[in-house]
């Protein structure tokens, strides 16, 4: 008999994740050189993932269970992709493109981990998200579950970490990026516990939130654009932001709300929701796929006048190839792509 305690999937969350992972793939296809009018997505592309993680934060009764759960969902996929995708790809790029591979002197030096992830640049996110979850759990315990104290601690740590990034103070293993992302994680936690956003039907107030959040996002985007250099960089993995603290956080909050409201209105979009459900597979594989396809493209003469059309075609090809990759990974490699628990 089917277990009645298992809650059905919240389809619009899969849609939100699908929108987010498509933006991630799109951005990496263009290598940051996407059309000017789409640079506003840099404000919320990664914060959306941080928020969604906070939205589904659970203590799992004690820290040990929590640690094992996050190890299964984040660390094991990170280690697998690090060893079998990122590192081989880095050496392949050296062999194929003549890129120098010079390791930091000390094997245990934290910078080595960052360096080897250059073969698959999205891996930082899983390690960062693991640290972020542990940090928020610690705040949750120290604050003794008191919401106001959790808010104060998370915001204060996030602001301090943002300041550290501005002054080039480095924290190993993307710890700086994780601490700066604490307010986004907190935002998801607050939404889950202080509203009924997950299950309430879409209504007029959601249209208002959607319109207001998009308007504020565009105001922040235009405010920080001088129209000579409209591509203002926001690189969460490096804790590097060319905007002020208020713009980064408020833009992230509003952008994530906008995407959430759009996803809630759409609810289920077959392909997008499917990609969102298995977004971790795409996250770990799409950069390698893009690099291989780009190397193939270099053998052909490309008319620069059609570069945006070519990149759009490449994006569509990558998305289509990811579908059989997902099917293969969830069937034959479920333990290393967070579909089943390796540790119990």
């Amino acid at each position: 008999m089917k277990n009645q305690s298992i809650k059905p999937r919240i389809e619009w969350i899969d849609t939100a994740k699908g929108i987010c992972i498509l933006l991630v793939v799109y951005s990496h296809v263009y290598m940051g050189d996407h059309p000017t009018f789409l640079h506003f997505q840099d404000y919320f592309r990664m914060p959306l993932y941080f928020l969604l993680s906070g939205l589904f934060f659970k203590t799992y009764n004690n820290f040990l269970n929590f640690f094992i759960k996050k190890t299964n969902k984040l660390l094991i996929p990170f280690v697998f992709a690090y060893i079998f995708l990122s590192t081989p790809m880095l050496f392949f790029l050296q062999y194929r493109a003549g890129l120098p591979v010079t390791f930091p002197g000390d094997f245990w030096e934290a910078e080595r981990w960052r360096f080897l992830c250059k073969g698959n640049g999205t891996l930082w996110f899983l390690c960062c998200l693991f640290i972020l979850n542990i940090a928020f759990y610690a705040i949750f315990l120290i604050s003794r579950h008191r919401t106001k104290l959790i808010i104060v601690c998370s915001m204060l740590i996030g602001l301090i970490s943002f300041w550290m990034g501005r002054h080039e103070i480095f924290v190993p293993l993307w710890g700086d990026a994780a601490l700066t992302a604490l307010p986004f994680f907190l935002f998801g936690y607050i939404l889950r516990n202080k509203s009924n956003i997950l299950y309430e039907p879409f209504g007029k107030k959601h249209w208002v939130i959607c319109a207001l959040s998009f308007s504020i996002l565009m105001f922040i985007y235009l405010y920080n654009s001088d129209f000579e250099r409209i591509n203002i960089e926001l690189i969460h993995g490096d804790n590097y932001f060319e905007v002020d603290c208020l713009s980064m956080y408020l833009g992230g909050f509003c952008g994530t709300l906008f995407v959430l409201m759009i996803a809630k209105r759409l609810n289920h979009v077959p392909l997008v929701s499917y990609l969102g459900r298995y977004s971790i597979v795409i996250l770990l594989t799409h950069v390698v796929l893009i690099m291989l396809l780009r190397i193939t493209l270099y053998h052909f003469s490309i008319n620069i006048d059609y570069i945006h059309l070519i990149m759009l075609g490449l994006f569509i090809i990558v998305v289509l190839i990811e579908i059989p990759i997902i099917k293969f990974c969830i069937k034959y490699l479920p333990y290393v792509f967070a579909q089943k628990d390796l540790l119990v």
Side-chain angles (χ1 to χ4, degrees):
M1 183 175 178
K2 189 176 180 179
N3 190 348
Q4 298 298 316
S5 64
I6 299 177
K7 295 182 179 180
R9 291 190 69 86
I10 305 172
E11 293 184 333
W12 72 267
I13 291 293
D14 284 337
T15 301
K17 290 165 63 179
I19 293 171
C20 189
I21 197 63
L22 287 173
L23 290 175
V24 170
V25 175
Y26 176 82
S27 179
H28 290 150
V29 164
Y30 274 90
M31 298 297 184
D33 191 27
H34 41 266
T36 298
F37 69 92
L38 288 175
H39 281 299
F40 73 92
Q41 60 153 321
D42 295 339
Y43 280 91
F44 61 84
R45 189 173 63 247
M46 298 318 298
L48 179 58
Y49 270 124
F50 296 132
L51 182 145
L52 288 173
S53 186
L55 195 65
F56 291 96
F57 172 78
K58 297 179 184 177
T59 59
Y60 295 101
N61 298 322
N62 57 64
F63 178 74
L64 179 59
N65 288 338
F66 181 83
F67 184 86
I68 291 174
K69 191 72 173 179
K70 296 307 172 183
T71 297
N72 282 321
K73 298 300 182 183
L74 299 170
L75 277 193
I76 289 176
F78 171 81
V79 172
F80 172 81
Y82 184 87
I83 295 173
F84 294 102
L85 292 175
S86 181
T87 305
M89 191 63 194
L90 187 64
F91 283 97
F92 173 76
L93 289 174
Q94 180 194 30
Y95 169 77
R96 183 64 183 80
L99 299 179
V101 178
T102 305
F103 292 95
D106 183 2
F107 179 81
W108 297 106
E109 187 177 344
E111 181 62 22
R112 172 179 287 265
W113 288 81
R114 288 188 182 238
F115 176 79
L116 284 178
C117 282
K118 290 181 179 178
N120 191 357
T122 57
L123 292 192
W124 71 270
F125 177 74
L126 292 183
C127 187
C128 172
L129 194 56
F130 180 82
I131 296 171
L132 175 57
N133 273 273
I134 298 301
F136 190 82
Y137 194 100
I139 293 171
F140 184 82
L141 292 180
I142 294 171
S143 302
R144 298 182 179 179
H145 312 181
R146 289 176 290 184
T147 302
K148 290 183 180 178
L149 193 53
I150 292 173
I151 293 173
V152 171
C153 291
S154 298
M155 292 300 299
L156 183 60
I157 293 172
L159 292 173
I160 292 172
S161 186
F162 181 91
W163 176 88
M164 290 168 60
R166 277 297 181 88
H167 292 79
E168 298 182 354
I169 300 175
F170 172 77
V171 178
L173 292 178
W174 304 279
D176 44 2
L179 296 180
T180 300
L182 267 170
F184 296 122
F185 193 98
L186 168 72
F187 189 32
Y189 172 80
I190 296 298
L191 281 178
R192 174 67 180 269
N193 290 277
K194 300 300 180 179
S195 73
N196 192 32
I197 187 174
L198 289 179
Y199 302 106
E200 64 185 0
F202 190 91
K204 291 182 179 180
K205 75 172 183 179
H206 299 102
W207 277 123
V208 173
I209 294 172
C210 183
L212 184 61
S213 59
F214 181 74
S215 298
I216 296 174
L217 171 64
M218 293 310 297
F219 174 80
I220 292 171
Y221 169 66
L222 294 174
Y223 172 79
N224 287 291
S225 303
D226 57 14
F227 297 101
E228 291 181 0
R229 181 173 179 251
I230 200 167
N231 181 14
I232 305 299
E233 288 191 312
L234 292 90
I235 308 176
H236 288 271
D238 292 337
N239 199 29
Y240 176 80
F241 308 98
E242 293 183 345
V243 297
D244 60 85
C245 185
L246 180 61
S247 293
M248 191 277 285
Y249 282 120
L250 188 57
F253 293 148
C254 291
T256 54
L257 272 178
F258 170 68
V259 175
L260 288 178
M261 294 303 100
I262 293 297
K264 191 172 180 66
R265 178 63 183 87
L266 295 173
N267 192 35
H268 178 76
V269 182
L271 178 59
V272 176
S273 300
Y274 177 80
L275 297 176
R277 179 171 184 172
Y278 301 109
S279 59
I280 189 171
V281 178
I282 304 174
L283 184 75
L284 296 181
T285 59
H286 78 274
V287 171
V288 172
L289 181 57
I290 289 170
M291 287 182 176
L292 294 175
L293 290 174
R294 274 180 167 267
I295 290 173
T296 303
L297 276 177
Y298 292 151
H299 291 286
F300 300 91
S301 178
I302 298 176
N303 188 332
I304 195 67
D305 294 333
Y306 299 102
I307 189 63
H308 290 308
L309 185 60
I310 293 170
M311 290 300 102
L312 178 60
L314 182 59
F315 165 73
I316 294 172
I317 292 171
V318 170
V319 171
L320 292 177
I321 294 177
E322 282 291 351
I323 296 173
I325 290 177
I326 289 173
K327 293 183 180 297
F328 176 86
C329 290
I330 62 176
K331 182 176 182 179
Y332 297 105
L333 299 169
Y335 294 101
V336 295
F337 282 97
Q339 302 307 306
K340 291 184 179 180
D341 291 342
L342 185 63
L343 303 178
V344 293

